[in-house]
Amino acid sequence: MERSTVTEEGYEKFKNLLRFFYAQYRYNRTAGGAGGVRKVPHPDVNNTRYDLQGHLDQFHLGEFQNKPLQIGDLSFTITFSGQWEHMGSGPNTFISLCGTDIGLYLNLKAFKGDSEATTDAPFVNFFTWDDPHQEPTTLYVGEREGSITNCDKYGSYKFVDLGLGENDPTTDQLKDLYAKLQKLNSRAKAQQHESQEHIPTTLDAPRNWILFGAPGTGKSYTINKAAGQYPHRRVTFHPDYTYAQFVGSYKPVVATESNTGITYGFVPGPFINTLIEALEQPHIPHILIIEEINRADPAAVFGDVFQLLDRSGSGSSEYTVHASPELKDYLRINLSDKAKQNLHTLVRDISIRSGDAPEASDCSEIAIPSNMYIWASMNSADQGVFPMDTAFKRRWTFQYLAIDGNVMEPKDVEGVILSNHWDEIRTNINLLIKDGGQDIPEDKLLGQYFLSSNEQTADNIVQAFSSKVIMYLFEDAARYCRPQIFNTDGSQGHLYLSDLLTNLSTSKPNLGIFANPVMTLETSAEPKETNQSITDETTESSEEQGGTESPESPEESAE
């Protein structure tokens, strides 16, 4: 017989769980159909609801209505369900051992109920677990395996032997059942850990990633392929999509304890649901996929959580935002103790980094952890889409999916060169815009921190320069004066963004894409200088070198 080290208080809590499960099942069948925790069976003739809270309180389980029941290192929930007007108890009615596929089942056939049925019998009348002939007589220990539930895989126990009476001592059978659950729980968690060891905790793709391109280039397919085996959820933006749907809001919800059947509570959106999952499993990437991100107003949909999109070098939010009272209460109820600690640590580290005092661990502040990814698809050419402001765009890594379905990535670009010359390049791009632009205002110029300090590093700047600087100039600042800003190679054809990404090169003073030089090519005889226009410097350098090098070809001169 397997033994457990759980306390008598824990055993009593476990007895209460089994008592409620047994009695509620019998009650539901008598009342005519499926119901249970967070659900309502058929109303009686007076249109009142059954008293789930009262039923739970008889076993000191009132807290169980809002969160899983924690007993030692085990966590339980209950599901009562079946087809309409049927009360089933096979794989649909069970006590779940949270975090595993293990469950406790009654394993009885579905019962055809009466849609008009009800009962006025006191709930205590259904406490018949000491009757060896009253169904249900047996509790099975089983496991879900894909779409099949093996209800009795790990054995069974007679209710009469479990000692569920109020004055019954704890029986050996109940101790054996609990010890078996502990063993199965430990084994399941070990298997999960083993299966997750080969899964990288970070992904190669950016944390805030927008994939854009022409229709039919495979944007959704590319994102799905990148998401692969990792937990992810998908949402599609549309013109009527709101912050309340995306983040969450206070809404009317069904409540079993209310006479009207309606109360109000915080209903989370996909953003908060993904955030919670990422906090619960900090070593596994969790991905929120947004289809057609610009078919709603992105700044309005993200609202205040827009600030969380600023990521630090570690991948977590650079700042926090204050949670509403409703969201705060929801997180306090629905986050596990471990997840609350993860959130507190995240918020504390952000506060220390920014020089503020650490926040209290009360879920009053939220932030995005490094294992939460937000990926989106976008087609900017469609009619009826919403424009994105520059501040919103800067917080994303944009990647262009070419017409052949390949992600455009520069080939002849060295990150070290871009990083070393970033300020010089930025300064000369601004001069180029001022000279060649068409009344472009000063607030369209590139600031020193247009790319963050992390994005200016040699490892990150190639992607950041391609996805942010070139994208911003092409689609925004230089949109109406592209021939004056970009090198067109004398071509009379239309200039595409894919052309710029293909031609980008750090081996040329104009980076292969700008109308004038923006960078000094490094040579052994000439030190690098920054923050100056290098047009004159390039001429002087050519004169000093005289005839020691062959002259530029016509193509290079044009560049």
Side-chain angles (χ1 to χ4, degrees), residues 266-513:
F266 183 85
V267 178
F271 179 87
I272 292 299
N273 283 328
T274 306
L275 175 64
I276 290 175
E277 291 167 1
L279 291 169
E280 294 286 357
Q281 296 178 300
H283 301 299
I284 300 176
H286 286 262
I287 307 164
L288 174 59
I289 299 173
I290 304 172
E291 298 284 6
E292 307 289 354
I293 189 171
N294 59 336
R295 288 198 175 277
D297 183 349
V301 172
F302 274 81
D304 56 349
V305 303
F306 158 78
Q307 185 170 339
L308 301 182
L309 297 177
D310 270 321
R311 305 277 192 142
S312 66
S314 66
S316 60
S317 292
E318 190 75 47
Y319 311 102
T320 66
V321 297
H322 192 69
S324 67
E326 298 83 11
L327 174 57
K328 173 182 172 181
D329 290 341
Y330 181 83
L331 293 176
R332 290 175 62 185
I333 293 173
N334 290 277
L335 284 178
S336 67
D337 291 340
K338 179 181 178 182
K340 289 177 185 175
Q341 183 57 46
N342 291 337
L343 177 59
H344 172 56
T345 301
L346 174 63
V347 172
R348 181 200 61 198
D349 291 346
I350 293 172
S351 299
I352 293 174
R353 189 167 61 236
S354 62
D356 297 331
E359 297 288 341
S361 55
D362 60 354
C363 301
S364 59
E365 298 284 326
I366 62 171
I368 296 176
S370 60
N371 65 318
M372 179 174 167
Y373 293 72
I374 307 177
W375 296 348
S377 66
M378 184 181 83
N379 182 5
S380 58
D382 277 351
Q383 299 295 319
V385 297
F386 286 81
M388 290 184 181
D389 59 65
T390 303
F392 188 82
K393 286 181 178 179
R394 282 189 57 244
R395 286 156 173 82
W396 296 82
T397 296
F398 284 80
Q399 282 191 315
Y400 182 66
L401 203 61
I403 199 69
D404 60 1
N406 293 318
V407 175
M408 296 298 301
E409 295 181 349
K411 301 296 190 295
D412 184 25
V413 181
E414 292 187 27
V416 173
I417 296 178
L418 277 182
S419 178
N420 290 341
H421 289 269
W422 160 243
D423 206 44
E424 179 189 10
I425 293 170
R426 176 190 67 83
T427 301
N428 284 295
I429 289 175
N430 286 340
L431 290 173
L432 186 59
I433 291 175
K434 291 168 67 177
D435 294 340
Q438 299 176 349
D439 299 323
I440 297 176
E442 186 175 4
D443 60 8
K444 291 290 187 180
L445 301 181
L446 300 178
Q448 183 177 359
Y449 297 106
F450 185 88
L451 298 183
S452 67
S453 55
N454 183 56
E455 290 172 330
Q456 292 178 32
T457 63
D459 291 336
N460 299 326
I461 195 168
V462 174
Q463 185 178 76
F465 191 87
S466 302
S467 67
K468 292 190 176 181
V469 177
I470 296 178
M471 168 87 173
Y472 167 68
L473 295 173
F474 187 83
E475 295 287 351
D476 193 341
R479 183 181 182 91
Y480 301 106
C481 55
R482 290 171 183 167
Q484 289 75 37
I485 305 301
F486 295 111
N487 172 37
T488 60
D489 287 328
S491 171
Q492 300 301 313
H494 190 77
L495 182 67
Y496 291 107
L497 180 60
S498 57
D499 297 329
L500 299 180
L501 297 174
T502 300
N503 296 334
L504 183 64
S505 171
T506 50
S507 63
K508 301 175 181 179
N510 70 339
L511 294 180
I513 63 174

Side-chain angles (χ1 to χ4, degrees), residues 78-130:
I78 289 181
T79 298
F80 291 104
S81 63
Q83 296 178 348
W84 185 248
E85 296 184 2
H86 286 73
M87 183 62 204
S89 64
N92 297 320
T93 295
F94 61 100
I95 299 176
S96 173
L97 182 57
C98 297
T100 76
D101 291 322
I102 310 300
L104 299 176
Y105 299 87
L106 298 176
N107 200 21
L108 296 175
K109 293 182 179 179
F111 169 76
K112 181 69 165 67
D114 181 356
S115 61
E116 302 299 325
T118 185
T119 178
D120 294 324
F123 194 49
V124 70
N125 286 11
F126 300 95
F127 303 171
T128 58
W129 41 73
D130 56 351

Side-chain angles (χ1 to χ4, degrees), residues 77 79 90-105 141-154 192:
T77 59
T79 298
N92 297 320
T93 295
F94 61 100
I95 299 176
S96 173
L97 182 57
C98 297
T100 76
D101 291 322
I102 310 300
L104 299 176
Y105 299 87
V141 186
E143 184 173 13
R144 299 186 303 281
E145 298 171 340
S147 60
I148 300 174
T149 301
N150 191 349
C151 292
D152 58 353
K153 182 175 182 177
Y154 301 111
Q192 290 174 6

